[in-house]
Amino acid sequence: MKRRQFNRYLGQGLAAMGLGPLLTQCDRAQPLSGQSGLPYQALPLLTSQNGVLEASLTAQWKVSGNARKQLSYNGHAPGPIIEARPGDTVRLTLTNELDSSTNLHFHGLHISPDIDNVFREVTAGGSYTYEFQIPDNHPAVTGWYHPHYHGLVAQQVFGGLAGPIIIRGDLDDIPEIQQAEEALLVLQDFDAALVESPEILSPLAKKWGREGVVLLANGQQNPIIELPQDGLLRLRLINASASRIYQLQLKNHPWHLMATDRGAIAEPTELETLSLSPGERAELLIPGQRQPGSYPILSLPYDRGIGDMLSAMGDAMQQMPGLAPSKTTTLATLRYAARQRTVPVPLPKQLIPVASIATPVTTREFVLNHGNDASTKTAGFIINNQAFAMGRVDTQVSLNTVEDWHIINKASMDHPFHLHTNRFQVIERNGKPESLRAWKDTVAIGGYETVTLRVKFEDFTGRTVYHCHILDHEDQGMMGIVEIT
């Protein structure tokens, strides 16, 4: 098919889908390039002192060296690391210097939904102080904070508003872990034109979820992470992209999974590739026992459902802001340092046992799809035939009970599922038992897949949410409210 014919065909297809005409012109400003091939730079650190973490975050615009703008916290994109320990008090003031409302979600923390309140609005020019205590029994986790003001979540996260949370704990006390060097990468994709002018987002990109043309790790392109010969690296990874699913590979070098979203697994497990959908986190151990050299951390191509269409579009895709080709990209590079340890650091044999959850008292079914809301007849993304409605409780559960949630994706596209406040274990995928026992709060669900989650509703009552973590889908209705009583 010739390009002109394809453009006409695509325009007809979009019209049939209710997505409007193909954009014919768009001023695609050059994307923020970041810094390429420079040494890894740790993010600024906000840490607790004497059991208290008192700090402030300002959501604001940042102008980069090439005069392209992005959103930031305290002038950093990603924002500073928030680090605390169980029992610490966190007092964090959010100041909003944006021209729209925002708020904060503490993704990965087990705290009261009255505190981690996604229904809170911090208006433009306003501020709010979040104050809470990290529970004494909170596991060591890698989490992150980001906006969750419904309707603007995808736009603000894609613009750069995200930052890491580290809770230290028993995992950090394992002798081999104590000797390991540590690095953290916040993975984001970026498009300067779309951040500066979000109204140019193409209808097709809004439907599938926006992606940027540049991949960044801590705001850099391909930062260099050093590892001494015979050393051990603890690498924390956070997928802070609005829609992009990362298929990661450390080429020609072993790496071992040690923790998922909500804490450690029982023992290090070697991986060939690591898949991270939006919102997911992972910690890996990388032993420095290969020949000295440079080993790239690759982002491999991943098709979220429209790969063939994007390939056929070719140059026409440049006219569709928010769509990006899926290709192999070097996210970061592991490089052996000149120094060498005199005594090698081994991998730990054991980490933290993952306890099984008790027998569920009930099983619920959640069907993810896109179409018309059963009550309003409006198009969008739906759960059990309903789009999100503020104030409507969709699911009521009882405190200290265990439930199985059977999530059915009836759509051809991915819908990663995130539950706020409480962690869960994935019991089955597509009717088969899940082999890895791990604590999660976000699970990847591909097109037409099903998963079963087992969750215990612990410690806190109140209203919180579950939703698709393709954030354009959440903004367009794929979210529900769960009330814990």
Side-chain angles (χ1 to χ4, degrees), residues 156-427:
Q156 293 183 354
V157 171
F158 185 81
L161 289 182
I165 299 173
I166 294 176
I167 304 299
R168 300 286 178 181
D170 48 2
L171 178 61
D172 302 88
D173 297 331
I174 295 174
E176 295 87 351
I177 303 298
Q178 289 181 325
Q179 298 178 70
E181 303 201 7
E182 191 166 321
L184 181 151
L185 294 177
V186 179
L187 307 182
Q188 296 169 299
D189 52 358
F190 191 78
D191 185 321
L194 190 55
V195 172
E196 292 187 52
S197 304
E199 69 277 2
I200 69 173
L201 178 69
S202 67
L204 185 59
K206 183 177 181 180
K207 182 177 180 63
W208 261 268
R210 70 194 76 190
E211 291 188 352
V213 293
V214 174
L215 303 191
L216 301 174
N218 289 7
Q220 295 177 284
Q221 285 184 282
N222 188 22
I224 308 299
I225 304 171
E226 289 196 341
L227 171 64
Q229 187 76 41
D230 290 327
L232 184 64
L233 177 69
R234 178 184 186 177
L235 178 63
R236 300 175 189 261
L237 297 173
I238 300 171
N239 184 352
S241 295
S243 305
R244 182 177 294 273
I245 296 173
Y246 293 91
Q247 198 70 4
L248 303 174
Q249 179 186 62
L250 179 56
K251 192 171 183 180
N252 300 322
H253 199 290
W255 59 356
H256 304 260
L257 183 68
M258 64 173 281
T260 54
D261 301 337
R262 287 297 185 100
I265 58 176
E267 59 186 16
T269 302
E270 186 169 356
L271 300 177
E272 288 291 328
T273 60
L274 170 68
S275 179
L276 286 181
S277 63
E280 287 189 294
R281 291 89 64 211
E283 297 183 37
L284 299 114
L285 290 173
I286 305 175
Q289 297 174 358
R290 280 289 195 266
Q291 291 296 317
S294 295
Y295 298 88
I297 299 175
L298 301 177
S299 173
L300 303 176
Y302 183 87
D303 182 6
R304 292 197 291 120
I306 55 172
D308 291 342
M309 179 186 292
L310 296 183
S311 297
M313 286 173 64
D315 293 341
M317 190 164 52
Q318 298 300 317
Q319 301 169 341
M320 304 282 284
L323 297 181
S326 182
K327 59 185 180 179
T328 299
T329 304
T330 299
L331 279 175
T333 298
L334 181 69
R335 178 177 295 168
Y336 276 66
R339 66 191 188 279
Q340 180 174 353
R341 288 189 60 93
T342 55
V343 178
V345 182
L347 281 172
K349 294 182 179 179
Q350 299 292 326
L351 295 168
I352 306 295
V354 179
S356 58
I357 307 179
T359 303
V361 297
T362 190
T363 298
R364 301 179 191 268
E365 186 174 276
F366 299 83
V367 178
L368 314 181
N369 210 337
H370 47 93
N372 291 331
D373 181 287
S375 58
T376 65
K377 307 302 181 184
T378 55
F381 290 86
I382 51 180
I383 301 177
N384 291 346
N385 293 318
Q386 288 186 309
F388 174 72
M390 192 73 72
R392 183 192 69 217
V393 173
D394 300 281
T395 306
Q396 264 198 336
V397 302
S398 297
L399 185 66
N400 295 323
T401 59
V402 174
E403 296 192 357
D404 276 2
W405 284 18
H406 191 54
I407 317 295
I408 302 169
N409 183 3
K410 286 196 172 180
S412 60
M413 62 182 76
D414 293 74
H415 288 305
F417 186 87
H418 173 44
L419 174 64
H420 286 217
T421 306
N422 288 285
R423 59 186 181 172
F424 56 75
Q425 292 176 15
V426 180
I427 303 302

Side-chain angles (χ1 to χ4, degrees), residues 3 45 66 90 115 125 145-146 178 249 283 308 332 366 373 392 412 431 453 462 471 477:
R3 180 64 44 78
L45 179 64
N66 58 4
V90 176
I115 301 297
Y145 57 91
H146 63 84
Q178 289 181 325
Q249 179 186 62
E283 297 183 37
D308 291 342
F366 299 83
D373 181 287
R392 183 192 69 217
S412 60
L453 319 177
L471 296 178

